[in-house]
Amino acid sequence: MQDLKPKWNAVLNKIESEVTAVSFDLWIKTLEPIDIVDGKLIIMSPTTGAKNQLLKLHSEKLKTAIEAVFENITEFVVLDPAEKNEFFQNKEVIRNTEETVSIKEPILPKNALNEKYSFDSFVVGKSNQFVYAAARSVAEEPGLKYNPLFIYGGVGLGKTHLLHAIGNFMKHNSSNLKVLYTTCENFTNDYISSLRSSKDSSNSLFRGKYRNVDVLMVDDIQFISRAERTQEEFFHTFNDLYQNNKQIIICSDRHPKDIATLQDRMVSRFTSGLIQDIQQPDYETRLAILQKKVQIEKFNVNNNVLEFIAKNIDSNIRELEGVLSKVIFYAGLLGKKEATIEEAKEALKEHITTTKEKITADGIMERVCKYYNVSRTDMVGKKKNKEIVDPRQVCIYLICTLLEDLPLAAIGNMFGGRDHTTIIHARDKIAGGIKSNYTLSTTISDLIAMIKTEN
Ligand code: ADP
Ligand code: MG
């Protein structure tokens, strides 16, 4: 068998810069390529938990890296130790496994609904009771009450979960309805490829797909930006469905009014329906969510461990889950039957060090400098020409917006000891500009997306 190590190391190098250090250490570095069968790369993971986490969190990245490094690999499959033994006993099992990830196809078919995300697995608390009620009502009676339904809230608070829950509910209870879940990104990509495709010269395939549905759900609409044509297409898709009483559900990380790139006519369409926010969960809800996860995944974790996690992680539910999985993973490594507070403390320590690496003023400046090709010296210096002043003001605006807690004086210091009134002036100038200047607003939302994904 060929030596897979050198190529595998290249795969690791590619992924390392794209995931958090914890993720890399826990789920990726621990992988081992063991064979290639029929163009299928066989990879081993040390535990079932690690395998599941990997596939859940990083299969897309793994796919891209494998595709870039290996030629002639069309699929990969990750095996846990039991599956590996089975594989060594009989390589044929690989031919029948349904768990392979295809390199050439998107991981989830674009309309795939994740069965895991149901109303049953969604814990209702004060922070999300209204949005839950709205989602339920739309799922039961699509097109009748809240149309469009616009859900917004910070990352990891359950928006995508709710969209899938609505879709799954309809699939089971009104299976005659055509339900389409998509992300803003997929919608955009689809549209662009339909423009390019000679087979779809009049975009009729594209339109057939998006306008021929009873329910359209679009996730992460805040990424609508760039091309005006895409937005135009979205606008017409929306109108077409709306006029035919089809249900539209949209998610975003912020209120439509605050999506800089969203055209006013779209904002007013969205505000004509129900706009419902989803908030940070309180302690009781966080604990209930952890208990539910433990019950669903059949994890063995003492309740005081869950209380400890719920007390210490108050940001979002994805992080709550992340820490819980780490706890389970550590307990597994130590061969413990039940996860204890020891592992929880360890996991939390890791969590705190990695979240510290999040967005910083310095990181923002670096990104803006790169974007405009301006040196740091000029960025914080005294030059007054437009090529420098514009990026500088954008940078100040982004720091003020993305790091709300940072005192203006500290930002002033960063920019060569500028006065806080200068900082306010720059910030407000850009904030005003975004409203009237489409190019500027697109730039800003691109930059925000880049800064967020780099972290
Ligand atoms: P968002 O789309 O808002 O960024 P997600 O819907 O992806 O967040 O949620 C992140 C994770 O948290 C998912 O695994 C989801 O199942 C879980 N989650 C969020 N809210 C709840 C809830 N109320 N009950 C149970 N799990 C939740
Ligand atoms: Mg989401």
Side-chain angles (χ1 to χ4, degrees):
M1 196 189 79
Q2 67 186 106
D3 183 11
L4 300 171
K5 269 276 141 63
K7 285 199 168 164
W8 186 249
N9 285 339
V11 170
L12 294 185
N13 279 338
K14 275 195 183 301
I15 303 181
E16 185 163 13
S17 57
E18 293 181 6
V19 301
T20 63
V22 179
S23 260
F24 185 75
D25 286 349
L26 289 183
W27 325 123
I28 294 169
K29 211 168 75 186
T30 49
L31 297 172
E32 206 187 317
I34 50 178
D35 204 347
I36 295 179
V37 178
D38 292 350
K40 236 178 240 182
L41 179 64
I42 321 290
I43 305 166
M44 197 193 97
S45 173
T47 66
T48 313
K51 167 184 157 171
N52 293 341
Q53 278 297 326
L54 169 83
L55 291 178
K56 193 164 101 194
L57 300 172
H58 302 303
S59 51
E60 197 65 46
K61 290 188 183 96
L62 190 59
K63 193 175 101 167
T64 316
I66 292 175
E67 185 179 16
V69 171
F70 284 88
E71 296 118 39
N72 308 325
I73 291 288
T74 51
E75 287 167 315
F76 72 84
V77 61
V78 182
L79 305 181
D80 63 18
E83 291 162 336
K84 179 188 153 195
N85 289 340
E86 213 181 319
F87 169 72
F88 279 135
Q89 279 159 20
N90 175 11
K91 295 201 173 180
E92 286 298 313
V93 295
I94 280 305
R95 298 214 163 83
N96 305 323
T97 174
E98 282 174 10
E99 278 195 14
T100 41
V101 178
S102 167
I103 302 278
K104 302 287 173 224
E105 301 285 324
I107 293 227
L108 289 172
K110 284 185 182 149
N111 188 24
L113 290 168
N114 188 337
E115 287 281 338
K116 237 179 45 184
Y117 293 158
S118 62
F119 284 128
D120 286 343
S121 64
F122 191 84
V123 174
V124 185
K126 276 203 203 92
S127 55
N128 57 26
Q129 55 186 345
F130 295 116
V131 81
Y132 174 83
R136 262 316 287 216
S137 147
V138 160
E140 282 161 18
E141 296 182 307
L144 286 180
K145 254 196 200 154
Y146 308 121
N147 203 16
L149 171 62
F150 190 102
I151 300 174
Y152 75 97
V155 289
L157 295 183
K159 301 183 294 297
T160 299
H161 187 136
L162 276 176
L163 288 187
H164 285 255
I166 295 172
N168 285 320
F169 182 94
M170 289 173 170
K171 215 166 84 185
H172 293 296
N173 296 285
S174 357
S175 52
N176 53 331
L177 290 181
K178 275 198 208 142
V179 181
L180 180 62
Y181 165 88
T182 189
T183 60
C184 184
E185 196 188 350
N186 271 338
F187 180 89
T188 309
N189 292 344
D190 254 12
Y191 181 59
I192 293 171
S193 32
S194 86
L195 289 180
R196 289 205 191 116
S197 152
S198 51
K199 272 192 243 128
D200 197 12
S201 49
S202 57
N203 293 331
S204 53
L205 286 176
F206 176 86
R207 290 193 180 143
K209 173 172 172 188
Y210 285 98
R211 297 195 192 181
N212 200 3
V213 297
D214 299 298
V215 181
L216 176 67
M217 302 194 264
V218 184
D219 207 348
D220 289 326
I221 196 80
Q222 73 272 11
F223 291 122
I224 191 126
S225 62
R226 299 176 191 104
E228 252 174 273
R229 286 177 81 176
T230 312
Q231 194 146 161
E232 186 75 20
E233 184 62 31
F234 183 67
F235 182 70
H236 292 303
T237 307
F238 182 98
N239 287 343
D240 197 77
L241 292 172
Y242 185 77
Q243 275 152 18
N244 290 302
N245 293 322
K246 308 298 187 190
Q247 179 70 48
I248 300 156
I249 311 159
I250 312 280
C251 277
S252 160
D253 68 350
R254 56 201 109 137
H255 193 281
K257 279 204 309 268
D258 299 324
I259 305 175
T261 49
L262 196 64
Q263 295 169 358
D264 284 346
R265 57 180 184 174
M266 268 332 312
V267 176
S268 87
R269 289 289 188 287
F270 291 155
T271 26
S272 73
L274 177 68
I275 300 193
Q276 188 61 62
D277 69 334
I278 185 163
Q279 307 206 329
Q280 306 252 11
D282 55 21
Y283 171 74
E284 281 71 29
T285 313
R286 297 200 297 275
L287 183 60
I289 289 172
L290 286 170
Q291 286 164 338
K292 184 121 210 170
K293 298 280 162 196
V294 165
Q295 178 209 333
I296 293 175
E297 308 273 344
K298 302 197 172 56
F299 287 146
N300 221 347
V301 188
N302 199 304
N303 203 47
N304 65 6
V305 172
L306 301 183
E307 287 168 6
F308 179 80
I309 302 174
K311 249 183 227 134
N312 283 285
I313 305 282
D314 58 6
S315 42
N316 76 53
I317 299 161
R318 193 168 298 135
E319 295 193 352
L320 211 57
E321 290 185 340
V323 170
L324 177 65
S325 337
K326 254 176 265 163
V327 171
I328 311 290
F329 183 77
Y330 288 152
L333 283 184
L334 298 171
K336 292 191 178 175
K337 287 218 175 65
E338 189 184 60
T340 68
I341 209 88
E342 260 24 85
E343 289 82 61
K345 286 189 176 148
E346 195 51 40
L348 202 72
K349 237 181 13 208
E350 284 242 19
H351 175 78
I352 289 164
T353 36
T354 45
T355 43
K356 270 208 203 113
E357 289 163 15
K358 281 212 174 129
I359 301 175
T360 61
D362 217 50
I364 297 175
M365 190 181 288
E366 191 178 312
R367 182 20 79 204
V368 178
C369 283
K370 255 198 245 160
Y371 188 89
Y372 287 103
N373 202 9
V374 167
S375 74
R376 262 175 182 261
T377 323
D378 281 346
M379 182 58 95
V380 303
K382 299 259 175 289
K383 285 192 185 158
K384 290 219 161 62
N385 47 323
K386 196 171 159 46
E387 295 74 44
I388 307 291
V389 173
D390 286 355
R392 189 183 290 140
Q393 290 183 332
V394 165
C395 188
I396 291 174
Y397 169 81
L398 287 172
I399 294 177
C400 292
T401 324
L402 294 173
L403 303 171
E404 278 167 305
D405 298 336
L406 205 60
L408 293 172
I411 304 176
N413 280 340
M414 242 187 109
F415 285 83
R418 285 180 159 79
D419 190 73
H420 75 277
T421 53
T422 315
I423 302 300
I424 293 174
H425 172 75
R427 181 195 66 194
D428 292 351
K429 185 157 171 233
I430 299 295
I434 292 174
K435 298 207 179 96
S436 52
N437 181 334
Y438 185 70
T439 320
L440 177 64
S441 70
T442 316
T443 303
I444 297 282
S445 66
D446 283 352
L447 277 165
I448 292 179
M450 285 186 233
I451 291 163
K452 290 203 168 151
T453 45
E454 276 163 10
N455 280 280

